[in-house]
């Protein structure tokens, strides 16, 4: 009945059953139970210290909260949809256990500052987990990059063979992306580390509360400085979703490459059996489902970001129930992202690299053409003319079905007097990668330098 609701005083009619279901968020927010209890402990202690609650009430509340937490963790407390959310479920159980003191806990507090506080506490922890997971994936990539500092593969632009690169260099490109991803999570975490508690419903409270005390007790840097902002913005969720979306886009690009590389047409890599699946009709199939799923999850994670941006877009201050949708979006996105990170970290060390196939592909497709142009430039030919001479050489090779380094003296002379056979015979994919020996270049020595730098860096964290 309506009177059983914690807010039922002014209601004459019972809540419609459909509304009960539709309104409830307990299925989604139950996972914040520990943060809700932590927030309540801090609030109760503060109320006690300020003389707003008696010492006996505070003691009863703290003990009661311990019991509720133990019950939840033992699986002994069944949450009720009629009690709507985790906050009211916990408060109702507390009151059942300790009576009147439980009813005093909500003094000077609202579910609006409560949910904002719980969510920040909860997401802060998830942020730390994600950053640690990203670091682990980076370590896996750095180790692989070390193994493959000398492994030559074609580098692509427009998915057309461009210039040879080292696989180590390619893997370190993702290490860089992931580093910025971790940085975005760290930035978002730092910005959201302010405590909404004490903002109450929207305007603050008439009780002489100590917001510095609760903020410090909960490990926040400071209390949020504006109560309306504290209970109504969810930009911290949008920032996390955005960091998650960007990370998932990086993983999706990597996935796309692994899928291409594992095709028979590329044949560059083979993912371990344990991370692939077969076909129910085609016995020969071994499908790269894991990278495909990771690529697919990025759509879902981006969806969460868009959902929250749109949800907040036209909301007037302060709290609106629309905001209850925030947790589903961000929890799902972070769950999915963490799954993607875990799969990649576990899968990559077992990846078989077909070095010969990579090298063969790098040597085909005239990947050394730029280096031939560079050789002409070194002999005094202006770059644009060198470009044209090499273009002509490539056309010649296509017509005669040979590679650039196979051009003989007669062919060179026929193409252009400035094209020296020595320039042509010096061409090799190894020379190509070795020559790009500067900061950020693909040379094996640079890759090894970068690997050392990353190893020190990742050991520190
Ligand atoms: N379950 C709610 C949410 O997630 C808690 C806040 C409810 N506040 C309110 N005034 N109805 O947003």
């Amino acid at each position: 009945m309506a009177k059983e609701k914690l807010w039922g005083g002014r209601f004459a009619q019972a809540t419609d059953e459909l509304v009960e279901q539709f309104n409830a968020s307990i299925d989604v927010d139950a996972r914040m139970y520990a943060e809700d209890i932590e927030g309540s402990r801090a609030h109760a202690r503060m109320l006690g210290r300020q003389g707003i609650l008696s010492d006996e009430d505070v003691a009863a509340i703290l003990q009661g909260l311990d019991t509720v937490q133990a019950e939840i963790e033992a699986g002994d407390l069944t949450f009720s949809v009629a009690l709507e959310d985790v906050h009211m479920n916990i408060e109702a159980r507390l009151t059942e256990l300790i009576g009147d003191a439980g009813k005093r806990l909500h003094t000077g507090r609202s579910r609006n500052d409560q949910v904002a506080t719980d969510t920040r506490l909860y997401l802060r922890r998830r942020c730390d987990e994600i950053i640690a997971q990203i670091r682990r994936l980076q370590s896996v990539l750095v180790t692989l990059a070390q193994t493959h500092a000398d492994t030559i593969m074609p580098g692509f632009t427009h998915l057309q063979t461009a210039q040879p690169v080292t696989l180590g260099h390619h893997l370190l490109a993702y290490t860089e992306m992931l580093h910025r991803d971790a940085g975005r999570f760290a930035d978002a975490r730092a910005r959201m580390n302010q405590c909404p508690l004490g903002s109450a419903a929207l305007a603050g409270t008439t009780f002489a509360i100590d917001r510095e005390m609760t903020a410090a007790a909960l490990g926040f840097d400071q209390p949020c400085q504006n109560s309306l902002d504290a209970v109504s913005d969810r930009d911290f969720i949008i920032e996390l979703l955005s960091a998650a979306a960007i990370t998932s886009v990086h993983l999706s690009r990597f996935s796309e490459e692994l899928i291409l590389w594992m095709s028979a047409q590329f044949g560059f890599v083979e993912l371990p059996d344990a991370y692939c699946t077969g076909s129910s009709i085609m016995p020969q199939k071994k499908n790269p489902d894991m990278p495909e799923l990771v690529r697919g999850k990025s759509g879902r994670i981006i969806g969460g970001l868009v959902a929250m941006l749109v949800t907040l877009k036209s909301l007037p201050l302060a709290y609106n129930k629309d905001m209850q949708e925030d947790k589903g979006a961000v929890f799902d996105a972070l769950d999915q992202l963490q799954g993607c990170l875990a799969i990649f970290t576990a899968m990559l060390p077992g990846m078989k690299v077909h070095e010969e196939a990579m090298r063969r592909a790098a040597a085909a497709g005239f990947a050394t053409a730029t280096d031939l142009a560079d050789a002409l430039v070194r002999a005094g030919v202006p770059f644009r003319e060198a470009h044209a001479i090499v273009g002509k050489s490539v056309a010649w090779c296509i017509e005669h079905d040979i590679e650039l380094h196979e051009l003989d003296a007669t062919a060179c002379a026929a193409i252009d007097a400035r094209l020296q056979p020595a320039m042509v015979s010096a061409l090799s994919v190894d020379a190509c990668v070795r020559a790009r020996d500067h900061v950020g270049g693909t040379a094996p020595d640079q890759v090894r330098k970068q690997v050392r730098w990353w190893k020190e860096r990742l050991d520190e964290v």
Side-chain angles (χ1 to χ4, degrees):
M1 283 296 103
K3 299 290 177 226
E4 289 162 7
K5 297 280 191 221
L6 297 182
W7 41 254
R10 62 105 73 206
F11 287 75
Q13 250 187 357
T15 311
D16 188 279
E17 215 172 291
L18 269 178
V19 173
E20 204 100 278
Q21 291 293 337
F22 193 67
N23 192 40
S25 59
I26 184 66
D27 287 348
V28 174
D29 58 34
R31 59 161 95 183
M32 301 195 306
Y33 78 86
E35 287 75 15
D36 192 71
I37 290 173
E38 200 188 337
S40 287
R41 282 196 189 106
H43 183 65
R45 286 201 183 98
M46 182 278 292
L47 292 177
R49 168 97 87 76
Q50 296 300 99
I52 301 165
L53 286 191
S54 70
D55 291 347
E56 302 80 71
D57 280 346
V58 175
I61 289 170
L62 294 177
Q63 221 189 353
L65 287 171
D66 286 348
T67 309
V68 177
Q69 179 149 15
E71 286 178 351
I72 295 172
E73 282 165 8
D76 290 342
L77 187 61
T78 317
F79 289 128
S80 127
V81 166
L83 287 168
E84 215 176 305
D85 54 28
V86 69
H87 325 293
M88 292 202 287
N89 267 280
I90 288 175
E91 193 186 320
R93 179 61 188 144
L94 179 72
T95 301
E96 233 170 59
L97 288 169
I98 65 168
D100 281 354
K103 297 183 189 165
R104 294 201 177 97
L105 170 62
H106 213 51
T107 310
R109 183 176 79 170
S110 152
R111 266 187 303 153
N112 296 349
D113 59 339
Q114 196 178 353
V115 72
T117 304
D118 293 2
T119 311
R120 287 178 196 231
L121 282 173
Y122 177 81
L123 290 176
R124 204 171 67 178
R125 183 159 61 74
R126 296 295 298 270
C127 245
D128 293 339
E129 281 172 25
I130 290 170
I131 293 170
Q133 264 189 302
I134 292 178
R135 296 290 178 228
R136 282 197 287 280
L137 177 53
Q138 283 183 298
S139 292
V140 164
L141 289 173
V142 168
T143 302
L144 267 181
Q146 184 172 32
T147 310
H148 292 289
D150 296 285
T151 304
I152 293 176
M153 63 176 278
F156 300 93
T157 62
H158 314 268
L159 201 54
Q160 306 288 316
T161 301
Q163 291 170 354
V165 295
T166 49
L167 176 57
H169 190 54
H170 195 105
L171 295 168
L172 289 181
Y174 285 103
T175 313
E176 295 282 340
M177 295 176 225
L178 288 168
H179 181 64
R180 292 191 297 275
D181 292 333
R184 271 181 279 272
F185 277 102
D187 289 348
R189 186 202 193 285
R191 244 188 311 281
M192 81 175 163
N193 202 32
Q194 303 207 338
C195 188
L197 198 59
S199 300
L202 74 166
T205 169
T206 57
F207 292 96
I209 56 172
D210 182 349
R211 295 194 57 214
E212 307 285 343
M213 179 180 167
T214 41
L218 295 170
F220 287 108
D221 295 331
Q222 60 167 49
C224 298
Q225 296 296 300
N226 181 298
S227 62
L228 289 167
D229 172 49
V231 294
S232 66
D233 209 348
R234 293 292 184 268
D235 57 353
F236 62 100
I237 288 182
I238 293 177
E239 281 197 57
L240 282 187
L241 281 165
S242 149
I246 297 172
T247 309
S248 78
V249 164
H250 288 151
L251 294 180
S252 180
R253 296 184 75 172
F254 196 5
S255 296
E256 171 69 8
E257 295 189 324
L258 292 175
I259 293 161
L260 284 171
W261 292 357
M262 197 165 134
S263 70
Q265 288 68 23
F266 274 80
F268 286 2
V269 298
E270 189 175 342
L271 294 172
D273 279 2
Y275 294 86
C276 294
T277 67
S279 155
S280 56
I281 175 170
M282 297 167 285
Q284 84 284 11
K285 292 298 287 288
K286 177 172 164 184
N287 297 325
D289 296 44
M290 293 308 106
E292 289 174 78
L293 265 175
V294 170
R295 188 177 57 183
K297 302 276 189 196
S298 66
R300 182 165 165 185
I301 295 168
I302 293 164
L305 169 61
V306 174
M308 270 326 288
L309 283 168
V310 178
T311 302
L312 277 212
K313 183 177 70 71
S314 305
L315 286 189
L317 303 188
Y319 181 85
N320 300 270
K321 194 66 172 247
D322 316 44
M323 288 155 68
Q324 182 164 282
E325 292 299 308
D326 60 356
K327 286 171 287 301
V330 71
F331 293 172
D332 181 64
L334 299 189
D335 290 348
Q336 298 310 319
L337 179 68
Q338 290 195 259
C340 295
L341 289 165
I343 281 285
F344 260 61
T345 305
M347 175 181 73
L348 287 175
M351 178 174 75
K352 217 186 283 160
V353 175
H354 298 307
E355 296 180 20
E356 269 317 302
M358 283 191 167
R359 169 177 280 273
R360 244 188 331 258
F366 310 107
T368 57
T370 313
D371 293 58
L372 181 54
D374 287 352
L376 284 159
V377 168
R378 278 191 198 95
V381 182
F383 182 76
R384 277 296 150 224
E385 285 176 35
H387 188 288
I389 295 168
V390 179
K392 240 171 114 182
S393 310
V394 168
W396 176 288
C397 288
I398 292 172
E399 201 188 318
H400 295 85
D401 198 19
I402 56 171
E403 292 293 333
L404 281 172
H405 64 267
E406 292 168 330
L407 287 168
D408 60 17
T410 336
C412 286
I415 292 165
D416 193 291
R418 290 167 291 180
L419 188 63
Q420 303 296 316
M423 295 173 179
V424 160
S425 60
L427 292 175
S428 79
V429 290
D430 299 270
C432 277
V433 296
R434 241 185 291 118
R436 286 163 171 78
D437 193 11
H438 53 76
V439 176
T442 200
D445 282 347
Q446 289 296 331
V447 172
R448 278 186 276 270
K449 230 185 244 176
Q450 289 287 314
V451 164
R452 280 196 295 277
W453 186 85
W454 276 115
K455 286 204 152 175
E456 271 171 36
R457 188 85 189 241
L458 290 168
D459 281 350
E460 274 169 24
V461 289

